[in-house]
Amino acid sequence: MSKKPRVSRRVGSVAPSATLAIDAKAKALKAAGEDVIGYGAGEPDFPTPGVIVEAAAKACLDGANHHYTPTAGLQRLRVAIAEKTLRDSHLSVRPSQVLVTNGGKHAIANAFATLLDPGDEVLVPSPYWTTYPEVIALCGGVPVVVPTDASSGFKAGPEDLERYATDKTKMLLFVSPSNPTGAVYSREQIRALGQLALERGWWVLTDEIYEHLVYGKNEQHSIPVVVEGLSERCVVVNGVSKTYAMTGWRVGWMIGPEDVIDAATNLQSQETSNVDNVAQCAALAALESDPSLFEEMRKIFDRRRKKIHERLNAIPGVSCVEPEGAFYAFPSLSGVLGKNLHGRCARNTLELAEIVLDEVKVAFVPGEAFGAPGYGRFSYALSDEDLEEGMERLAELFSKARD
Ligand SMILES: Cc1ncc(COP(=O)(O)O)c(C=O)c1O
């Protein structure tokens, strides 16, 4: 009998997505008739706008769209992405620098697979989106976690990166607005990080999937625009999922230097070929649509953001930095750890998430999933009524916490 493991060590060591797991558990409870309030979702709760759906329906009826497209994507979509990138980010790129991928997640996986050799280290500021370290490791790289906390608004400075950099550092993972913290870096903060990357010769992967979801005085800036010269060693990841409520359509893209895009296209040609032709037509319609389409959604998120921030801070044992972007609040829940909650006691936020789901049917993602024990991620991509109701239940449970 072979002693070889049935599943490869490489794939066997991938941690399941904790965010999808909690969402699935909450949905299963809901399907079983339980009155669950889910703060776990990583996707807008709006339907995809009608004009986009109509364009897709039309594309579906046209036999010309029933076939493969070039691996890198429909040429007119690559052109539209280049134009959109100039319009929104002021980054000038050629369509040949664009690879259309199966969502932003696939762009991230393609980028790391294309750039990392075994042992290459990637600086990953924490709290981090749960996918990054897993994909880096899967590609043979080493994720090097750079901790940040609420005192800096969960933002890493150059001195933090310097502390964790070695001569094996090849890349910096940068995301703003951030999942899970909602942090948005200022232009000056971005310049400091980008300048360091440039000086050290690091590559930067910048994940801009939440670019349009910024609130108040905060502004989105693209790191290769802020730091001149960085675009030679920079991959920009983006997509239609969050901006246009199109998570299920699976269209994202990566933008980078031509040699990197050519290599990633080659990889994708052997792995997944092109992205669904009709979905590409839908993405094209999204990019050609009036920006008022997503502005409406942004305003609704902004209203909920203020509400959840205020409500969370009013709950005993909870304290929350004001989220600046995306659609997540990331409060510290350490004030209720070790306390008696309905006769149960959570030693960490993993246990707390279970107790909260069992006792008051509220789902959130424990900070452990993002390398930040003691915190929880609350998505505010849910209705205003549910948002209120969930906060009330949490307040009720936590206000009865006893030593
Ligand atoms: C920070 C970040 N990047 C990328 C993605 C991937 O988006 P997509 O659904 O387009 O794969 C997500 C989705 O949750 C995300 O939060």
Side-chain angles (χ1 to χ4, degrees):
M1 278 279 272
S2 167
K3 292 256 174 62
K4 297 232 175 270
R6 285 165 62 84
V7 172
S8 73
R9 287 186 188 89
R10 195 165 46 90
V11 171
S13 64
V14 176
S17 162
T19 49
L20 294 184
I22 193 89
D23 198 37
K25 192 169 174 188
K27 279 180 180 149
L29 279 171
K30 236 181 195 167
E34 299 275 9
D35 175 21
V36 175
I37 306 283
Y39 293 100
E43 59 180 342
D45 54 320
F46 310 110
T48 302
V51 283
I52 300 171
V53 179
E54 279 158 27
K58 205 165 144 209
C60 217
L61 292 171
D62 181 351
N65 301 318
H66 296 178
H67 303 282
Y68 295 127
T69 75
T71 298
L74 290 167
Q75 184 57 15
R76 55 188 196 280
L77 178 58
R78 296 172 84 197
V79 169
I81 291 168
E83 285 171 0
K84 169 251 173 293
T85 305
L86 183 61
R87 180 192 71 200
D88 296 346
S89 311
H90 312 294
L91 181 64
S92 174
V93 295
R94 290 179 295 280
S96 55
Q97 290 179 261
V98 178
L99 168 60
V100 181
T101 59
N102 286 284
K105 200 180 255 186
H106 187 209
I108 291 164
N110 272 347
F112 284 131
T114 303
L115 289 167
L116 294 179
D117 274 317
D120 283 344
E121 294 180 358
V122 183
L123 298 174
V124 181
S126 78
Y128 47 73
W129 182 44
T130 160
T131 292
Y132 301 134
E134 298 302 328
V135 173
I136 292 166
L138 198 51
C139 294
V142 181
V144 175
V145 173
V146 179
T148 72
D149 59 28
S151 66
S152 65
F154 301 108
K155 290 170 203 170
E159 63 291 350
D160 300 312
L161 301 187
E162 301 246 39
R163 203 169 306 134
Y164 289 87
T166 72
D167 54 6
K168 295 196 187 120
T169 305
K170 172 144 189 198
M171 290 181 79
L172 164 66
L173 182 283
F174 181 70
V175 54
S176 174
S178 154
N179 175 5
T181 63
V184 176
Y185 285 69
S186 71
R187 180 185 271 276
E188 285 323 304
Q189 289 166 328
I190 293 175
R191 193 192 309 283
L193 298 187
Q195 203 59 44
L196 180 66
L198 190 66
E199 281 163 23
R200 295 296 188 90
W202 299 335
W203 283 79
V204 177
L205 188 158
T206 173
D207 183 343
E208 303 187 352
I209 201 100
Y210 294 101
E211 64 175 335
H212 289 296
L213 295 173
V214 288
Y215 313 109
K217 290 203 186 87
N218 299 287
E219 282 176 4
Q220 160 68 9
H221 299 284
S222 186
I223 194 166
V225 176
V226 174
V227 178
E228 210 181 316
L230 197 60
S231 58
E232 265 310 294
R233 287 178 184 267
C234 185
V235 171
V236 179
V237 169
N238 208 330
V240 292
S241 298
K242 316 286 177 173
T243 304
Y244 298 97
M246 289 178 72
T247 46
W249 298 75
R250 310 310 302 136
V251 186
W253 54 84
M254 61 184 277
I255 294 174
E258 241 149 50
D259 58 337
V260 171
I261 294 302
D262 287 351
T265 305
N266 197 17
L267 168 71
Q268 184 167 303
S269 76
Q270 299 293 9
E271 280 191 337
T272 58
S273 300
N274 63 273
V275 172
D276 173 352
N277 195 335
V278 171
Q280 289 191 60
C281 296
L284 182 62
L287 296 184
E288 287 175 344
S289 68
D290 193 304
S292 62
L293 213 58
F294 58 77
E295 180 54 18
E296 273 314 301
M297 294 191 255
R298 194 195 66 83
K299 281 187 186 147
I300 296 171
F301 280 135
D302 191 17
R303 187 179 70 221
R304 296 176 187 165
R305 169 184 80 104
K306 290 176 185 147
K307 193 174 289 182
I308 200 165
H309 176 237
E310 185 194 316
R311 296 284 192 279
L312 280 167
N313 276 323
I315 299 175
V318 179
S319 82
C320 186
V321 169
E322 184 178 343
E324 302 168 322
F327 39 69
Y328 309 103
F330 201 66
S332 164
L333 305 169
S334 54
V336 285
L337 297 181
K339 298 264 165 89
N340 183 330
L341 289 166
H342 281 195
R344 297 170 71 181
C345 174
R347 286 162 301 175
N348 52 49
T349 26
L350 276 172
E351 292 179 0
L352 184 66
E354 265 194 52
I355 294 176
V356 170
L357 189 55
D358 289 347
E359 298 296 328
V360 289
K361 305 284 179 286
V362 168
F364 70 89
V365 186
E368 283 82 349
F370 313 102
Y375 292 88
R377 190 191 77 175
F378 289 71
S379 159
Y380 44 90
L382 78 178
S383 74
D384 293 60
E385 299 73 40
D386 281 0
L387 190 155
E388 289 279 5
E389 167 69 19
M391 287 296 112
E392 259 171 48
R393 292 187 196 179
L394 211 60
E396 163 87 11
L397 179 68
F398 287 3
S399 63
K400 291 194 186 127
R402 297 289 170 263
D403 287 325

